[in-house]
Amino acid sequence: MVSLTVNGKAQRVDVQPEMPLLWVLRETLGLTGTKYGCGMALCGACTVHLDGAPVRACVTPASAAAGKRVTTIEGLSDKGDHPLQRAWTEVDVPQCGYCQPGQIMSAAALLASKPSPTDADIDAAMAGNICRCGTYQRIRAAIHQAAALQKGGAR
Amino acid sequence: MKTLVSRRALLKGGLAVGAGLTIGFPLPRRRSDALAQTPGVFAPNQWLRIDRDGVVTITNSVPEMGQGSLTTTPMIIADELDVDLDRVRVEQAPANPALFKNPVTGAQSYGGSRGVRDHLAMWRKAAAGAREMLMQAAANEWGVPVESVETEPNEVVHKPTGRRLLYGQLVDRAQQLPVPQDPKLKTPDKFRYIGKHVHRRDTPEKITGRGVYGVDVVVPGMLVASIERCPVFGGKVKSFDATAAKQVKGVKHVVQVSNGIAVVADGFWSASQGRKALRVTWDEGPTAQVSSAMITREYEAAARQPGQVARNDGDAEKALAAGGRVHEAVYQVPFLEHACMEPMNATAQVTPDACVIWAPTQNPGGTQATGARLTGLPPEKVTVHTTLLGGGFGRRGEQDFIVDAVETAKAVGAPVKVMWTREDDLTHGFYRPATYNLFRAALDANGMPAAWFTRMVGPGILIQKGRAKAGEIDAAAVEAVRNMPYDVPNLRIEWTNKDFGIPLGFWRSVGPSQNGFIIESFIDELAHLAGKDPYEYRRALLGKSPRHKGVLELAATKANWGAPLPSGRGRGIAVVFSYGSYAATVAEVSVAPDGAVRVHRLVAAIDPGIAVNPDQVKAQMEGGAVYALTAAFYGRITIDRGRVQQSNFHDYPMLRINEMPVVEPHILDSGEAPGGLGEPGVPSVAPAVCNAIYAVTGKRVRALPIDRAQLKRA
C-alpha cells in the first residue's frame, strides 16, 4: 500500500513499492494524460510534479511518492486554462500532441520558479523533453506568451 | 413554427423515397443509405450529415497523426457547405474502405502526404452538392427559382423577399431531392476557411490529457501484454520456459504468437516484469550473419558493377569518357527508425462473431483486413476504432502491432492491449534503407554539367513488401534521383537492389528524404568546382523546372542570399520535389573548432499548390525541419549479427529544444493542384545544412549522420 495525494485527492493504492509512479497514475488511477515514451527518463513524456518539482514518473518508484503531492496534466488547472494551456492553444503548439502533457508540466515547473524565463532558461528546463513532431519553436514562443499572460494577472 | 411542424409531418411519410441519393462519386452508399432513412437527418453522402437542430457532423477519414486533419477536413467541408466551423462536429471514420477509401489510391490507408491533396476535390464536391440540395429545398419551399436563392452561413436566403431558412429546417425536404452530379463549387474569393489561419480543433484535448491515443485505450476486462521478440530479424521461437514468468504477480497468461512470446498480465508493469523472467531460446535464422560492416562492403562491391538503368538521356558514358573536368564522389546514408513518441501498440477483442480493434493506425483499411485474416471473420465483422496517433511518419501504416493485438486477444479469450517498449520500437522497426551512391560528372567549358552519372545501391522498400516486382526498378528507391530537375544533356541513373533482410519501411518523405541529400549535395559540389554561386548555378539548370525555381528563389530572397553574414557563418541551399510539393531551404550554420555544428536559421519555402490552413502548412515545415535535422546530426541504426545495436534515446538521440534553429517557413501559393504537406518539408534540409558546412569549412559531408570529428579543425 502506498498513500499519496494526486491532484489534490488523497489516494491509497495497492501496488508494489518499486512500481514506477507512471503506471500507478496511468493504470491504477486511470490518469492517462501522463505518457510513456522511453522508460529511462530520456524523453520527458511522463513528466509530473512531485511536491511541485518536475520528475520523470517512469523512473520514480511509487514508494518515492509516498506521502507526497503529485500533480499531473489533469490537475494542472480546473478548466484547462492555465496560462501555458492558453498560450499553447493560441500558438497552435501541438501536432500529434503525445509529448505535450510532459512539455507543459516541465514548462509549468519552470514558470513557477522563473516567472520571466529567458531563452537560456527555457533551453535548460525543456531540453529533457523530446518532441518528435518538432514543435520546439512554438513551445518556446508559447512559454514566453504564458509568462506574459501570467504577469498580466490573467489568473 | 407551425408550418414547419406540419411540413415535417408531411415529409416523414415520404422519406423512404428519398433513399438512394448519390453525390456523384463512384462510392457505394451502404452507410449513408441507412442514415438517409433516419428521420430528420440529411445525409447526402458519407462525409456529412445535418440534423433538424442544424448540427452538422463531418466524418474525417484521415487519421490524426499531428498533421491537423481533424481541423483541415472540416475546414474544407464546412467552407463549401457554408456552415460555421465552430458549430460542426467531427467524427473519425470507421474502417470501411467501400465508403472511406482514398479516391486516388483506392485504399483506406494514409501515407505519402495524401490527406489534403487526394481528398480536396472530392470533399469540396460532396459539400457543394449538399449545399445545392439545401438551396433547392428552400427554393421549392418558397416557390421561387433556385437561381434566386443563395446561402449565408448555416442558412439559405432569398434576398428579394428577405426570407430565410436554417439548414436544420430544410433537412427533411432536402432529403427528398436528387443529388446533383456536377455541383457548382465556390470561387476562391468566397472561401471563409480555406486559405485562412484556423486554429487547430484538437488542441484542447491534447493539452489537458483528455485525448485518447492507442496506448490510453481501456476496455472492460482488458489485459495488457508485452511481447518478447527475437532480437534477430526473421528469427523464430525454438522453445520457451514460462515457469518463472507465470510466478510474477499479475501475470495471467504466457502465449506464443507470430512475433514472439506474449506475457499477458493485469497491467503493463506486471507484464514487463513477467517478460524479464521469461526464458526463450531462439532459432536466429540466416539474418544472424548480417552486420552493417558487411552490408557496406557488399554495397561497395555492387557499385563496381553495372546496375539496372533507371534513366538514360543522351550518352553519359561517352560524354564522361571524353574527359574534361570529371568529378567523382560517393554518398552514403544509414538505416533509420521512425521513433514515434508513442511506441507501437494496439488493443483487440475477439469473440466468435466479432473482432474489435482500437489502434493508432495510418491504415484502418489494412487493420480491418488483418483482423479478418487472423480471425476468419468477414471484414464487416471487424470494427476498427482509429485513435489519435502519437506520431506516424510512415511507421504506423504497418500491420505488425495489429497482428500482435489480434493474435494475443484471440489466444487468451479476453480483450488485450499489446504495448511495445521503446526498446521494442527501435529494434523491431521498418527502417529507412541504408544506401551507397556513386556519382560521376563532367563539366563543360562553362562549368555546367555535360554528363551526369549516378549509380545507387541499396534495398527496395516496394520490392521487399511485394508491392513492386523483383527485378524491376523500385520507384521509392530512385525517387528524387530519377526525376532530378537539373537540365543535363547526358544523364544516366542506375540502381542495384541489395537487400539483406533488414525490414524496410516508409520513413517521412521516403526516397526523397535521402536522395534529396545526395543530389543536392553533389550539384553543390559541381557548382563549387565550376567556381559558381550554388544558388545561381541551380537556377541556370532549372529552366525546365519552373516550380523548383520558384521556391528556390523565394527561399534565397527571404534568406538574403549573398548578403554578408557574421564571421564564421555560412549559407547552404537546396531544393527538392516530393509528394506533389516543391520545397527549398537555405541554412545558416557555424562550426566550432571541435567540429560541433550549430544551425542558426533555416529559411524554407514550399509550393504546395494551395495551402488550406497556411499556419499548419508552416507547422509541417517547422516539424519536417526538426525531423530532418535529427537524422542529419544523429540518425543511425546499425546492425550487428542481425540485431539492431541501438535501443533507446541515449544511443538513438533526437534533436532537442536547445539545438533548435529559428525556422522561417514561407508559402508560395501557386494555385496549382494541391500537393502534399507532411513530408515535403524534410528532404531539402540536410543538404542545405551540409552545403552550408562546406561553405564555412571547405569540408564536404558525404555520409550521414554528420561526423563531427571530420569537421574538427586541425
Side-chain angles (χ1 to χ4, degrees):
Chain A
M1 278 293 179
V2 175
S3 299
L4 68 174
T5 303
V6 180
N7 298 333
K9 195 173 165 193
Q11 299 278 4
R12 266 171 71 78
V13 291
D14 182 13
V15 299
Q16 292 155 287
E18 70 274 19
M19 179 164 152
L21 178 61
L22 173 62
W23 306 110
V24 177
L25 295 171
R26 288 184 53 84
E27 296 191 337
T28 312
L29 299 175
L31 295 168
T32 55
T34 305
K35 301 302 189 205
Y36 165 77
C38 69
M40 290 174 70
L42 296 168
C43 79
C46 65
T47 305
V48 298
H49 297 175
L50 198 58
D51 282 348
V55 298
R56 311 299 185 208
C58 72
V59 295
T60 304
S63 57
K68 300 201 169 160
R69 286 180 294 113
V70 179
T71 308
T72 71
I73 187 71
E74 290 91 345
L76 183 65
S77 62
D78 290 339
K79 294 177 182 157
D81 58 354
H82 184 281
L84 284 164
Q85 289 166 318
R86 288 158 53 201
W88 245 244
T89 306
E90 191 53 39
V91 179
D92 281 310
V93 174
Q95 289 185 27
C96 91
Y98 191 81
C99 74
Q100 299 297 345
Q103 303 278 2
I104 291 170
M105 294 311 286
S106 288
L110 168 66
L111 284 192
S113 65
K114 290 193 169 147
S116 303
T118 62
D119 279 340
D121 294 332
I122 292 172
D123 283 348
M126 303 300 294
N129 290 76
I130 294 172
C131 173
R132 190 64 169 140
C133 297
T135 63
Y136 299 129
Q137 180 158 293
R138 293 183 187 227
I139 287 173
R140 185 184 303 282
I143 292 174
H144 285 308
Q145 191 160 322
L149 278 172
Q150 197 168 255
K151 227 178 307 172
R155 270 176 76 78
Chain B
M1 270 319 275
K2 197 162 172 260
T3 43
L4 195 65
V5 171
S6 60
R7 191 183 75 242
R8 273 181 187 164
L10 186 75
L11 288 173
K12 254 185 191 174
L15 263 176
V17 185
L21 303 177
T22 115
I23 197 73
F25 298 101
L27 297 172
R29 300 186 51 267
R30 262 173 294 169
R31 180 168 173 271
S32 40
D33 281 352
L35 281 170
Q37 294 179 39
T38 306
V41 178
F42 170 52
N45 56 65
Q46 62 272 52
W47 304 109
L48 68 97
R49 57 182 196 267
I50 307 174
D51 69 15
R52 285 177 184 154
D53 295 326
V55 176
V56 178
T57 304
I58 288 171
T59 306
N60 171 42
S61 57
V62 182
E64 175 61 64
M65 58 190 109
Q67 81 283 45
S69 293
L70 284 173
T71 306
T72 316
T73 304
M75 278 174 75
I76 294 165
I77 292 174
D79 207 333
E80 203 63 68
L81 183 62
D82 207 3
V83 294
D84 280 325
L85 192 50
D86 56 8
R87 291 167 52 151
V88 162
R89 293 174 57 239
V90 182
E91 286 179 353
Q92 194 65 35
N96 185 342
L99 287 177
F100 297 112
K101 69 184 175 195
N102 176 319
V104 176
T105 64
Q108 196 181 348
S109 175
Y110 303 88
S113 304
R114 295 186 169 280
V116 169
R117 67 172 168 140
D118 287 0
H119 297 82
L120 180 66
M122 178 178 68
W123 285 334
R124 286 187 64 194
K125 200 172 167 187
R131 178 171 159 268
E132 276 191 8
M133 292 166 79
L134 292 159
M135 287 166 63
Q136 186 66 57
N140 293 353
E141 172 74 16
W142 295 323
V144 300
V146 71
E147 294 74 26
S148 69
V149 306
E150 58 195 283
T151 60
E152 287 181 4
N154 319 306
E155 58 186 352
V156 183
V157 299
H158 185 244
K159 286 262 171 78
T161 57
R163 282 177 291 185
R164 296 171 176 268
L165 281 170
L166 292 165
Y167 285 177
Q169 295 171 298
L170 291 164
V171 299
D172 296 281
R173 194 177 270 269
Q175 189 77 40
Q176 313 292 311
L177 299 171
V179 176
Q181 296 304 299
D182 195 16
K184 203 168 150 201
L185 301 179
K186 272 188 176 179
T187 49
D189 60 300
K190 297 284 196 315
F191 287 152
R192 294 174 66 216
Y193 301 120
I194 296 172
K196 311 287 194 298
H197 177 183
V198 173
H199 284 292
R200 291 182 65 119
R201 296 168 63 95
D202 53 353
T203 300
E205 61 178 327
K206 289 179 172 177
I207 59 172
T208 53
R210 289 202 316 268
V212 176
Y213 297 81
V215 79
D216 302 326
V217 166
V218 176
V219 178
M222 180 183 85
L223 299 171
V224 178
S226 184
I227 295 180
E228 182 73 10
R229 296 156 210 275
C230 183
V232 177
F233 295 117
K236 300 267 181 288
V237 176
K238 200 183 271 174
S239 64
F240 70 100
D241 177 0
T243 316
K246 283 182 174 166
Q247 282 163 4
V248 170
K249 191 169 176 242
V251 171
K252 309 282 186 194
H253 311 270
V254 178
V255 292
Q256 184 170 346
V257 291
S258 302
N259 295 329
I261 306 295
V263 179
V264 189
D266 57 4
F268 178 75
W269 179 246
S270 314
S272 53
Q273 296 303 106
R275 189 175 153 189
K276 279 181 196 151
L278 192 65
R279 296 285 164 266
V280 188
T281 310
W282 304 102
D283 172 2
E284 295 186 347
T287 312
Q289 312 302 316
V290 175
S291 69
S292 285
M294 168 216 172
I295 292 172
T296 304
R297 273 200 312 276
E298 294 280 340
Y299 283 180
E300 282 167 357
R304 287 193 285 271
Q305 305 298 323
Q308 290 171 268
V309 179
R311 180 170 170 185
N312 199 19
D313 302 351
D315 191 338
E317 283 170 326
K318 191 173 152 197
L320 281 161
R325 296 169 75 184
V326 175
H327 183 59
E328 190 172 309
V330 169
Y331 281 85
Q332 298 181 74
V333 297
F335 290 109
L336 293 178
E337 211 278 327
H338 306 76
C340 300
M341 283 311 295
E342 180 191 17
M344 296 304 107
N345 67 84
T347 303
Q349 179 164 27
V350 180
T351 54
D353 51 7
C355 172
V356 188
I357 301 168
W358 295 260
T361 174
Q362 292 177 239
N363 188 354
T367 297
Q368 185 182 51
T370 297
R373 178 173 63 81
L374 297 175
T375 59
L377 292 164
E380 59 270 21
K381 298 282 184 192
V382 180
T383 304
V384 177
H385 300 284
T386 303
T387 65
L388 293 175
L389 281 65
F393 312 122
R395 176 65 179 89
R396 287 197 147 95
E398 306 287 351
Q399 294 299 302
D400 52 340
F401 54 99
I402 307 295
V403 171
D404 287 349
V406 175
E407 286 186 347
T408 309
K410 196 177 157 194
V412 306
V416 174
K417 173 160 69 183
V418 175
M419 291 172 62
W420 292 38
T421 63
R422 176 60 56 196
E423 290 79 3
D424 293 337
D425 221 70
L426 283 182
T427 57
H428 292 83
F430 289 86
Y431 303 88
R432 186 182 85 166
T435 66
Y436 182 99
N437 309 277
L438 174 67
F439 282 84
R440 208 172 284 142
L443 302 187
D444 66 18
N446 297 320
M448 305 314 278
W452 176 304
F453 172 83
T454 304
R455 180 176 290 154
M456 313 174 72
V457 180
I461 306 171
L462 299 172
I463 291 174
Q464 190 187 78
K465 290 186 182 300
R467 287 165 58 172
K469 268 192 222 147
E472 293 184 354
I473 301 280
D474 190 296
V478 298
E479 201 179 346
V481 175
R482 177 159 67 178
N483 55 331
M484 70 95 154
Y486 299 112
D487 198 359
V488 181
N490 302 291
L491 175 66
R492 185 178 175 91
I493 310 292
E494 295 181 7
W495 180 67
T496 297
N497 185 8
K498 275 282 170 192
D499 190 333
F500 294 92
I502 307 305
L504 306 175
F506 304 101
W507 186 96
R508 192 177 188 175
S509 77
V510 197
S513 77
Q514 53 202 82
N515 295 338
F517 165 67
I518 66 177
I519 291 288
E520 285 299 300
S521 295
F522 191 66
I523 191 77
D524 213 71
E525 292 205 47
L526 299 186
H528 285 284
L529 196 68
K532 303 204 176 189
D533 176 88
Y535 162 58
E536 295 296 348
Y537 194 75
R538 284 177 174 79
R539 277 189 74 215
L541 291 167
L542 287 173
K544 292 176 184 163
S545 306
R547 293 180 72 188
H548 283 85
K549 205 169 166 182
V551 289
L552 186 79
E553 289 173 348
L554 179 59
T557 304
K558 296 290 183 185
N560 288 319
W561 183 267
L565 280 171
S567 140
R569 282 202 198 184
R571 283 194 192 93
I573 193 165
V575 57
V576 183
F577 166 80
S578 64
Y579 302 96
S581 293
Y582 300 76
T585 301
V586 173
E588 281 181 28
V589 312
S590 59
V591 182
D594 68 354
V597 177
R598 175 93 211 179
V599 182
H600 300 276
R601 182 182 180 215
L602 295 174
V603 179
I606 182 167
D607 170 4
I610 176 173
V612 172
N613 194 354
D615 184 63
Q616 285 305 304
V617 173
K618 289 178 179 175
Q620 287 304 305
M621 296 300 284
E622 295 162 18
V626 175
Y627 211 75
L629 290 173
T630 291
F633 285 107
Y634 301 118
R636 174 164 44 201
I637 291 289
T638 54
I639 311 294
D640 179 44
R641 294 172 296 128
R643 297 155 164 81
V644 167
Q645 291 179 285
Q646 292 70 30
S647 63
N648 208 315
F649 294 127
H650 62 291
D651 53 10
Y652 194 67
M654 301 286 123
L655 194 89
R656 292 170 185 269
I657 196 169
N658 56 310
E659 304 160 293
M660 179 72 192
V662 172
V663 181
E664 298 169 29
H666 299 277
I667 298 169
L668 199 164
D669 221 334
S670 63
E672 298 283 343
L677 303 163
E679 292 168 286
V682 175
S684 62
V685 173
V689 167
C690 292
N691 294 339
I693 290 171
Y694 181 83
V696 184
T697 64
K699 289 173 183 165
R700 181 58 65 181
V701 177
R702 296 198 184 93
L704 295 179
I706 295 162
D707 179 8
R708 181 168 156 168
Q710 185 209 324
L711 303 176
K712 205 184 281 184
R713 264 168 259 165

